[in-house]
Each structure stands twice: as C-alpha cells, then as structure tokens.
C-alpha cells in the first residue's frame, strides 16, 4: 500500500506541475510586460523552473519504490515533501490562500507521507 501512495502522490505532483506550467505560461506570463525583452525571457525561465522541479520531484516519488528502500526511501520522500512543502507555503503566503495550488500540493504531501 505504501508504494501505491507514492505512485499516486508522484503522478499527482507531475500533473499539478504540468497544469501549473501551462496555465502560468498561457495566462500569467503573457500578461506580464517588461521594458526589455530579455527580462520577459528571464521571467518565463524562472517561472517554469518550478514546473521542472515539481515534475522531477514527482518522478522521484514514482520511482522511489523501485529504486530505494529503508533510509534512502525515507530521505528521498522527505526531500520531495520539503520541496513541495516550500511550494505550498509560498503559494499560500503569496496568494493569501486564495489559490488552490497550496491545497493540491498539500494533498500530494500527505499521500507521500503515507507512502514513506
């Protein structure tokens, strides 16, 4: 059952990341204007870094049951929980809780904790 929790958590994290990347690029970044074009590219790159990191963290959760056991498993899951937790806290703080991203990441964190 622990492996299933990690699998669902990882797939959830990947889906959230893909959704975040698409919506952010389609709506947030298009609405941003910068004085210099290079600043627009930098904004897009920084914004999409979280998408890449969340996808990588989700992939780690999916692969953890096959690759790790014991303390390595707990360390890997703990690292991902920390990474998603930082995103959830930042999202909650920046949007004052009005954005659903923090709650979705919270569900992924709880599933990962159950699979640890």
């Amino acid at each position: 059952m622990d492996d299933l929790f990690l699998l669902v958590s990882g797939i959830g994290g990947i889906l959230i990341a893909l959704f975040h990347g698409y919506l952010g690029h389609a709506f947030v970044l298009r609405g941003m204007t910068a004085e210099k074009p290079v600043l627009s590219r930098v904004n897009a790159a920084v914004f999409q870094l979280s998408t890449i990191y969340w996808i990588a963290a989700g992939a780690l959760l999916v692969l953890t049951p096959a690759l790790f056991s014991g303390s390595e498993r707990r360390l890997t899951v703990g690292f991902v929980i920390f990474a998603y937790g930082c995103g959830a806290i930042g999202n909650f703080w920046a949007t004052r809780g009005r954005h659903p991203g923090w709650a979705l990441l919270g569900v992924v964190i709880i599933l990962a904790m159950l699979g640890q």
Side-chain angles (χ1 to χ4, degrees):
M1 194 69 177
D2 294 345
D3 294 349
L4 182 62
F5 282 128
L6 288 180
L7 180 67
V8 172
S9 176
I11 291 171
I14 291 169
L15 291 175
I16 291 168
L18 292 172
F19 196 62
H20 171 267
Y22 170 74
L23 289 180
H25 201 77
F27 297 106
V28 176
L29 292 173
R30 285 207 179 132
M32 295 175 75
T33 57
E35 228 174 85
K36 299 178 182 178
V38 70
L39 292 178
S40 293
R41 288 192 306 271
V42 168
N43 284 339
V46 169
F47 186 88
Q48 294 298 352
L49 278 176
S50 61
T51 301
I52 293 167
Y53 294 151
W54 292 350
I55 289 171
L60 267 176
L61 287 176
V62 169
L63 294 173
T64 291
L67 297 177
F68 306 114
S69 63
S71 63
E72 292 113 0
R73 179 181 175 127
R74 285 189 298 279
L75 185 64
T76 303
V77 174
F79 170 77
V80 173
I81 288 171
F82 175 77
Y84 283 159
C86 288
I89 291 168
N91 188 299
F92 183 82
W93 175 77
T95 64
R96 294 178 180 85
R98 292 184 298 238
H99 187 282
W102 68 270
L104 294 172
L105 286 175
V107 169
V108 169
I109 290 168
I110 291 169
L111 290 171
M113 290 171 73
L114 291 172
Q116 195 167 356

